[in-house]
Amino acid sequence: MSDISYNSDDEESKAPQIHRVQAAPQTTTSELAAGMSRWLEAAHSFFYVELASLILLFACIGDWYSTKLYKYALSVACVSLLLCLILQTAEFLLPGFLEWVLIEKREDGTGGHSIQKISSVVLLFWWILGTGIITFKGPFVTTSNGWFGAWGGLLATTKWAIGLKKELYNDKPQGLKQLYNISICSVILLFASIPPLTQKWEHYGGAGFSIAGALLTLIGCIYLITMYNDIPRTMMKITVLLLFVLWACIAGVTTFYG
């Protein structure tokens, strides 16, 4: 029996060689978080439009009936949300995209409209029509998530279209801010009280009282806002006290009577 011998070095040299490829490092969680933050920041000027669109969208899904009015309300939310997401993603991928000028400024000073300006105006008209139909004809004629979503979308697109800056509110005196807030509440109460009165709901008489109270409050707030620097503080305090009594009565009537 013969011995079998071999050279281990020769065998190893004949074995296939495995070449390791140095792969690029994978994206870390911190990088993903930073990217998501930049993507969200791209929608800073119309974030509340997206939020209102989502509220209206979920309200339609949660209370869905296969009617034309529900389908229309759903389309208002979907079109608004889709357009905002497209603009947001484009701004994230191409910084400055929203400020690209589509209509050049003319010699007479007109024009000079950017993608953001045109989009905001288009959505403003979209929400004006949509909110009018959704909250006055249906399906959300009463105060609900869909009702607030529709009016929230209109207010958010209005702010976006006219370019309202936070500084216009933040730099105001505290008393003036409160007058702004009361005025907004009055407008909401005014529109919320119209359907019960026109459609003769049960206890609709309370709606008439709330409309009158909202109008009185709105007129008073507008006067106080326009004359804020010229009105004595004593008169301002008396007016605010009267408004408190009025709204206490409105809250009692509308929430306990109808």
Side-chain angles (χ1 to χ4, degrees):
M1 187 174 180
S2 60
D3 295 333
I4 300 175
S5 62
Y6 60 91
N7 191 328
S8 60
D9 293 338
D10 294 338
E11 293 293 332
E12 290 181 0
S13 63
K14 295 178 181 179
Q17 299 295 320
I18 300 176
H19 300 281
R20 297 184 180 274
V21 179
Q22 186 67 28
Q26 296 182 352
T27 304
T28 63
T29 55
S30 60
E31 291 174 337
L32 287 174
M36 181 61 68
S37 177
R38 291 194 302 271
W39 184 74
L40 293 174
E41 181 63 24
H44 70 279
S45 57
F46 49 87
F47 173 76
Y48 290 107
V49 179
E50 294 180 335
L51 182 61
S53 302
L54 283 173
I55 293 174
L56 180 58
L57 174 63
F58 288 126
C60 291
I61 295 174
D63 193 32
W64 179 256
Y65 291 95
S66 185
T67 63
K68 290 182 179 180
L69 290 175
Y70 270 94
K71 293 176 181 178
Y72 175 72
L74 184 64
S75 69
V76 171
C78 290
V79 169
S80 175
L81 182 60
L82 181 61
L83 179 58
C84 288
L85 289 176
I86 291 174
L87 293 174
Q88 180 178 356
T89 305
E91 176 67 19
F92 170 72
L93 297 175
L94 302 170
F97 170 81
L98 293 175
E99 300 305 322
W100 288 4
V101 177
L102 291 183
I103 301 177
E104 298 292 340
K105 195 169 184 178
R106 306 181 185 92
E107 295 181 358
D108 58 0
T110 60
H113 301 309
S114 63
I115 292 177
Q116 178 167 216
K117 186 65 177 179
I118 295 174
S119 301
S120 64
V121 172
V122 169
L123 277 185
L124 176 59
F125 284 105
W126 177 252
W127 276 99
I128 289 175
L129 179 62
T131 302
I133 294 176
I134 291 170
T135 59
F136 285 97
K137 189 174 181 180
F140 301 111
V141 294
T142 60
T143 49
S144 59
N145 289 338
W147 190 91
F148 285 109
W151 281 103
L154 178 58
L155 293 175
T157 49
T158 301
K159 174 183 177 296
W160 183 25
I162 66 177
L164 183 62
K165 303 295 184 181
K166 290 182 179 180
E167 291 75 11
L168 297 178
Y169 178 85
N170 294 339
D171 293 343
K172 300 298 182 182
Q174 187 63 31
L176 204 55
K177 291 180 182 179
Q178 296 302 326
L179 290 174
Y180 288 150
N181 296 336
I182 295 173
S183 300
I184 294 174
C185 292
S186 301
V187 172
I188 293 175
L189 177 63
L190 176 64
F191 285 109
S193 303
I194 292 176
L197 186 63
T198 56
Q199 300 174 18
K200 300 295 188 295
W201 293 1
E202 186 180 3
H203 305 304
Y204 69 88
F209 178 71
S210 63
I211 290 175
L215 285 174
L216 286 174
T217 302
L218 190 59
I219 293 172
C221 287
I222 292 174
Y223 174 76
L224 293 176
I225 290 172
T226 55
M227 303 294 293
Y228 185 80
N229 295 325
D230 301 325
I231 297 178
R233 299 301 97 177
T234 304
M235 182 178 177
M236 181 76 72
K237 292 180 180 179
I238 294 174
T239 306
V240 171
L241 179 61
L242 292 175
L243 288 176
F244 172 77
V245 174
L246 175 61
W247 274 81
C249 295
I250 292 174
V253 170
T254 55
T255 57
F256 291 99
Y257 178 71

